């Protein structure tokens, strides 16, 4: 079962009492005690004045008319006013376990469904989600023998074989030092196709060419990430990487990355924009990622340009870089490789990128800080043209175009388009440029500062209702399903965890660009569909008003079944929503066999918004037949 040294967390057990140093300090407790004392004195004065019969003090304290919650451990009586019996027809439904062959089911990247789509530009490997009639109504099992992952940082280098029972990469990438099989576990030496001496040494090589240490580079994107060793080793340098790769013949590469505790999603650059806003990343990277950068009018580099911030860097290692040395080993002709590099160079120039350096196996380009000179120099050459008026942040099932996304206007050549970002870690709490420029409707600097303080308070309370959230190392992979400005993630920044900040495409305002400007990462998501990730990705999920947002858009049970799919056994969830919706959620997750408890809002019992704290129980698929080494795959 679990191998954590921490005691199991049960949401139905009594939350630990507040102590000095939490948001509910001794000073606050003394204040509430004084109020209760004054209420009792007032009550006795009323008795003396009006001749009411004497009531024992213990009953007065228990039934005081002041009704102040001085103890946050009080169990609430919801059933008296909000009956679980009225939660609707789902109250009679059960959710059985899916067959063991679904243990790695990723609905929108299902191999059977993908084969229906065009192989041109690898469109068949993009998201293709099931129709409503195809949705599974069962719980995806963990493979037999599943164990809680190693705690970070040990997980960077180790994973249990039972959790990802695939040995293909240990054979295919044996000479490249990606991954090794060792008894009941995998080891990740940190190698890669283009960095046989390890990711750390490779990053050191990059650090000799551009500055990775001054906080100016905080967010990175790794296209075709393999098992994400590059992103894993960048974390120690305070650079957080969005790693992605398709679900392809390199079985489970993204799943390995997630098992290691490294941010990653299943994804591919094909025909749709990547699910990130414009100017998101300080650094983009491709190490032999096999993306045909020179083809289709340079459309893939054009997409990298869209998501790269002004002044950001693009790093390419592997074919065709240093082709004069490697051409024979790559089984390609000199002419072919020379032509490919020349085309890449020409596309980069057409985007107004500057080539900074090419040394050994690494080439680095830099995007301009604004398009002032670019527009002047491109009066004669309009290939690619600047995009017409559009929303550069729109990136959910949005077709890529062969046009250059224009940067915001500037007044001089030195000005950074859209506003200069503060260096990390100041960037986290500095006013994001999108807000200071007034481009996020309804969000001012004051609103931003209030949100920062609000989430500090809320996360302090979360650590009381789920005391394991405050224990460093208990959770590693965290998902915020409705992230808004990233306040929840920011309040957890000092813990050894990372947060995937999802901004629903149905949200009233698009705030994902603000999240990236804070030095955090995230993605767009429609929660009526599955997420592009493997089962058991997340240790902890935060769902703030998600079900209010999706009310009447899709079935609550389908969202909860997706949460069950991507949550690890013994993983935790905190829902916060209107009390009537919370009751309906609890009705369903009881049938998912989660443990759960409804608790008060941090501001007390009189708030309609409530919290539902839940834990997914540990369970796995049954033991396979003796002659079956690995679980069946879905093909």
């Amino acid at each position: 079962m679990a191998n954590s040294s921490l005691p199991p967390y049960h949401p139905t057990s009594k939350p630990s009492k507040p102590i000095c140093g939490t948001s509910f300090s001794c000073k606050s407790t003394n204040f509430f005690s004084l109020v209760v004392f004054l209420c009792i004195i007032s009550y006795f004065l009323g008795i003396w004045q009006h001749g009411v019969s004497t009531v024992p003090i213990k009953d007065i304290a228990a039934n005081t008319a002041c009704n102040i919650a001085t103890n946050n451990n009080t169990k609430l009586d919801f059933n008296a006013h909000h009956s679980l019996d009225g939660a609707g027809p789902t109250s009679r439904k059960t959710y059985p376990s899916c067959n063991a062959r679904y243990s790695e089911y990723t609905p929108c990247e299902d191999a059977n469904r993908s084969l229906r789509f065009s192989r041109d530009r690898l469109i068949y490997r993009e998201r293709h989600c099931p129709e409503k009639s195809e949705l599974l109504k069962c719980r995806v099992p963990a493979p037999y023998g599943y164990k809680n992952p190693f705690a970070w940082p040990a997980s960077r280098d180790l994973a249990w074989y039972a959790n990802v029972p695939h040995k293909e990469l240990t054979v295919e990438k044996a000479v490249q030092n990606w991954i090794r099989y060792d008894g009941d576990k995998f080891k990740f030496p940190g190698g890669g196709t283009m960095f046989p001496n390890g990711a750390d040494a490779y990053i050191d090589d990059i650090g000799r060419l551009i500055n990775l240490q001054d906080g100016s580079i905080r967010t990175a994107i790794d296209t075709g990430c393999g098992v994400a060793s590059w992103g894993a080793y960048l974390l120690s340098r305070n650079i957080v990487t969005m790693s992605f790769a398709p679900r392809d013949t390199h079985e489970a590469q993204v799943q390995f990355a997630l098992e290691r505790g490294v941010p990653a999603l299943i994804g591919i650059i094909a025909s749709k924009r990547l699910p990130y806003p414009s100017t998101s990343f300080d650094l983009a990277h491709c190490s032999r990622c096999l993306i045909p950068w020179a083809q289709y009018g340079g459309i893939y580099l054009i997409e990298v340009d869209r998501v790269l911030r002004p002044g950001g860097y693009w790093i390419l290692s592997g074919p065709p870089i240093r082709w004069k040395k490697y051409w024979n080993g790559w089984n390609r002709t000199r002419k072919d490789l020379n032509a490919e590099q020349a085309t890449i160079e020409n596309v980069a120039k057409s985007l107004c990128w500057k080539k900074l350096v090419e040394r050994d196996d690494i080439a680095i380009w830099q995007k301009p800080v604004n398009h002032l000179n670019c527009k002047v120099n491109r009066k004669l050459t309009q290939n690619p043209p600047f995009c017409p008026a559009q929303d550069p942040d729109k990136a959910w099932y949005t077709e890529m175009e062969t046009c250059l996304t224009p940067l915001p206007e500037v007044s001089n050549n030195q000005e950074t388009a859209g506003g200069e970002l503060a260096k990390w870690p100041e960037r986290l709490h500095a006013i994001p440029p999108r807000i200071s420029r007034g481009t996020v409707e309804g969000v001012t600097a004051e609103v931003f500062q209030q949100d920062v303080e609000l989430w500090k308070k809320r996360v302090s309370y979360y650590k009381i209702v789920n005391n394991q959230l405050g224990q460093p190392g208990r959770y590693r992979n965290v998902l915020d399903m409705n992230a808004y400005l990233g306040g929840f993630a920011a309040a957890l920044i000092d813990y050894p965890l990372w947060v995937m900040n999802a901004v629903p495409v149905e949200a009233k305002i698009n705030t994902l660009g603000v999240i990236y400007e804070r030095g955090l990462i995230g993605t767009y998501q429609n929660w009526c569909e599955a997420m592009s990730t493997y089962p058991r990705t997340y240790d902890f999920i935060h769902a703030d008003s998600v079900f209010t947002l999706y009310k009447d858009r899709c079935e609550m049970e389908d969202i909860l079944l997706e949460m069950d799919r991507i949550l690890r056994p013994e993983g935790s969830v905190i829902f916060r929503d209107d009390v009537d919706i919370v009751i309906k959620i609890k009705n369903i997750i009881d049938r998912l066999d989660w443990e759960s408890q409804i608790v008060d809002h941090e501001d007390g019992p009189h708030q309609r918004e409530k919290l539902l704290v839940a834990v997914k129980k540990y369970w796995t698929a049954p033991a396979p037949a003796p002659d079956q080494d690995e679980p069946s795959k879905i093909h």
Side-chain angles (χ1 to χ4, degrees):
M1 191 176 155
N3 64 316
S4 172
S5 61
L6 297 170
Y9 168 63
H10 302 285
T12 52
S13 62
K14 205 170 188 181
S16 57
K17 292 183 178 181
I19 59 173
C20 299
T22 69
S23 62
F24 300 91
S25 64
C26 294
K27 184 182 292 186
S28 299
T29 304
N30 292 337
F31 171 76
F32 285 127
S33 300
L34 176 61
V35 173
V36 172
F37 175 75
L38 291 174
C39 290
I40 294 171
I41 294 298
S42 299
Y43 187 87
F44 277 119
L45 286 173
I47 293 173
W48 178 72
Q49 288 178 341
H50 301 287
V52 179
S53 58
T54 303
V55 180
I57 291 177
K58 64 178 182 179
D59 292 338
I60 297 172
N63 300 294
T64 174
C66 296
N67 196 26
I68 296 175
T70 59
N71 186 347
N72 287 285
N73 300 330
T74 303
K75 187 173 181 180
L76 304 176
D77 177 15
F78 286 94
N79 291 344
H81 306 288
H82 303 275
S83 174
L84 288 172
D85 296 333
T90 55
S91 61
R92 296 184 295 274
K93 183 179 289 187
T94 59
Y95 301 96
S97 168
C98 303
N99 189 286
R101 72 176 184 273
Y102 288 95
S103 67
E104 293 176 358
Y105 183 51
T106 55
C108 297
E109 282 78 19
D110 178 60
N112 284 332
R113 187 177 302 104
S114 70
L115 294 176
R116 306 173 196 170
F117 297 88
S118 172
R119 289 182 173 266
D120 181 48
R121 285 174 52 183
L122 301 180
I123 288 173
Y124 77 104
R125 286 185 177 171
E126 291 183 317
R127 283 176 59 88
H128 303 291
C129 297
E131 299 293 331
K132 187 174 181 180
S133 61
E134 299 177 287
L135 296 176
L136 294 181
K137 301 292 184 178
C138 54
R139 296 175 293 140
V140 172
Y144 178 74
Y146 176 89
K147 301 178 182 180
N148 285 346
F150 293 93
W152 185 266
S155 66
R156 187 189 68 179
D157 304 322
L158 297 169
W160 296 111
Y161 169 75
N163 293 10
V164 192
H166 296 288
K167 299 178 184 177
E168 294 92 332
L169 279 178
T170 65
V171 177
E172 290 185 35
K173 302 295 181 180
V175 298
Q176 295 160 6
N177 226 17
W178 278 27
I179 182 174
R180 296 174 185 166
Y181 175 64
D182 183 11
D184 60 351
K185 62 180 73 72
F186 291 109
K187 293 183 177 180
F188 301 91
T193 308
M194 294 307 300
F195 34 97
N197 295 324
D200 238 1
Y202 174 75
I203 293 169
D204 285 340
D205 290 340
I206 294 173
R208 283 186 274 271
L209 304 176
I210 57 175
N211 195 333
L212 299 177
Q213 298 179 339
D214 68 349
S216 60
I217 295 175
R218 164 62 183 174
T219 56
I221 184 169
D222 191 14
T223 54
C225 65
V227 295
S229 288
W230 188 72
Y233 281 84
L234 275 175
L235 285 167
S236 63
R237 304 170 194 239
N238 282 323
I239 297 173
V240 60
T241 305
M242 178 67 76
S243 298
F244 74 88
R247 181 169 184 168
D248 62 2
T249 53
H250 292 164
E251 188 73 58
Q253 53 188 333
V254 168
Q255 191 175 17
F256 277 123
L258 294 165
E259 197 67 20
R260 298 173 72 184
V262 179
L265 282 172
I266 300 172
I268 190 171
I269 301 183
S271 68
K272 303 291 192 299
R273 283 180 172 179
L274 297 172
Y276 318 115
S278 64
T279 65
S280 296
F281 298 98
D282 304 318
L283 180 64
H285 175 257
C286 163
S287 175
R288 199 166 184 171
C289 59
L290 305 181
I291 295 172
W293 299 112
Q295 297 181 24
Y296 310 110
I299 194 169
Y300 302 133
L301 272 183
I302 291 171
E303 175 62 1
V304 170
D305 179 85
R306 183 186 71 85
V307 300
L308 202 59
R309 71 159 171 83
Y313 302 95
W314 183 57
I315 299 175
L316 176 64
S317 65
I321 302 304
R322 215 181 183 188
W323 62 267
K324 292 179 181 178
K325 177 180 179 180
Y326 296 119
W327 69 275
N328 195 31
W330 289 339
N331 296 317
R332 293 175 61 183
T333 67
R334 291 171 174 263
K335 182 179 179 180
D336 178 36
L337 287 162
N338 184 44
E340 181 182 353
Q341 178 153 355
T343 306
I344 290 173
E345 302 272 10
N346 289 334
V347 173
K349 286 179 182 177
S350 74
L351 300 174
C352 301
W353 292 3
K354 176 184 178 182
K355 188 173 185 181
L356 293 181
V357 64
E358 180 176 333
R359 185 176 300 170
D360 296 331
D361 299 336
I362 299 170
I364 302 179
W365 287 261
Q366 186 174 24
K367 180 176 176 177
V369 297
N370 60 61
H371 278 159
L372 207 59
N373 285 337
C374 188
K375 290 180 178 179
V376 172
N377 297 334
R378 288 164 52 88
K379 285 183 178 179
L380 295 177
T381 305
Q382 293 291 327
N383 186 29
F386 279 104
C387 298
Q390 51 146 276
D391 181 359
D393 291 348
K394 186 179 179 182
W396 186 252
Y397 294 122
T398 303
E399 295 288 332
M400 291 193 298
E401 299 177 279
T402 51
C403 59
L404 179 57
T405 301
L407 291 171
E409 296 291 335
V410 295
S411 57
N412 60 68
N413 287 333
Q414 285 70 46
E415 184 180 350
T416 299
E420 190 169 358
L421 293 173
K423 294 182 177 181
W424 184 264
E426 289 77 15
R427 185 185 299 188
L428 183 65
H429 295 304
I431 304 299
R434 276 175 165 86
I435 292 177
S436 59
R437 289 168 52 222
T439 60
V440 184
E441 184 180 354
V443 182
T444 63
E446 182 180 9
V447 170
F448 175 78
Q449 296 288 15
Q450 290 172 350
D451 188 74
V452 169
E453 296 306 316
L454 174 66
W455 282 104
K456 286 180 182 177
K457 174 184 175 182
R458 286 182 170 179
V459 169
S460 291
Y461 184 60
Y462 287 175
K463 293 174 187 175
I464 295 172
V465 298
N466 177 349
N467 56 19
Q468 294 197 353
L469 183 60
Q471 298 180 20
R474 173 62 180 88
Y475 304 117
R476 174 63 186 171
N477 300 359
V478 178
L479 170 66
D480 191 355
M481 295 178 67
N482 188 12
Y484 187 44
L485 302 177
F488 171 73
L492 291 170
I493 199 65
D494 292 329
Y495 286 82
L497 55 80
W498 61 272
V499 180
M500 182 68 75
N501 293 280
V503 171
V505 292
E506 295 79 8
K508 290 182 179 179
I509 54 174
N510 182 353
T511 54
L512 190 54
V514 170
I515 288 169
Y516 273 95
E517 287 180 342
R518 299 188 71 180
L520 305 170
I521 59 169
T523 184
Y524 293 115
Q525 178 65 34
N526 176 352
W527 289 114
C528 290
E529 300 179 1
M531 196 175 187
S532 289
T533 194
Y534 282 89
R536 301 171 298 283
T537 288
Y538 295 104
D539 309 305
F540 186 98
I541 298 177
H542 180 239
D544 177 12
S545 305
V546 170
F547 293 90
T548 290
L549 179 62
Y550 282 92
K551 187 179 180 182
D552 302 324
R553 296 181 189 270
C554 52
E555 297 298 325
M556 179 182 287
E557 69 172 7
D558 292 329
I559 300 177
L560 289 168
L561 281 165
E562 173 63 2
M563 293 174 70
D564 184 82
R565 183 185 75 88
I566 64 178
L567 185 65
R568 293 191 187 278
E570 298 187 334
S572 299
V573 182
I574 291 182
F575 303 88
R576 60 182 308 132
D577 224 310
D578 181 84
V579 62
D580 291 335
I581 289 178
V582 166
I583 291 295
K584 292 178 181 178
I585 294 171
K586 182 165 173 50
N587 180 277
I588 295 175
I589 65 174
D590 284 350
R591 285 152 182 79
L592 293 175
D593 201 26
W594 292 10
E595 291 188 62
S596 66
Q597 182 185 30
I598 298 173
V599 299
D600 270 337
H601 188 279
E602 61 271 5
D603 290 337
H606 299 299
Q607 302 294 321
R608 277 197 62 84
E609 186 174 74
K610 303 296 177 186
L611 305 184
L612 176 59
V613 187
V615 174
K616 177 180 175 179
K617 293 181 182 177
Y618 175 90
W619 66 281
T620 72
D627 59 343
Q628 186 178 354
D629 294 330
E630 297 185 1
S632 300
K633 303 179 182 70
I634 303 171
H635 290 305

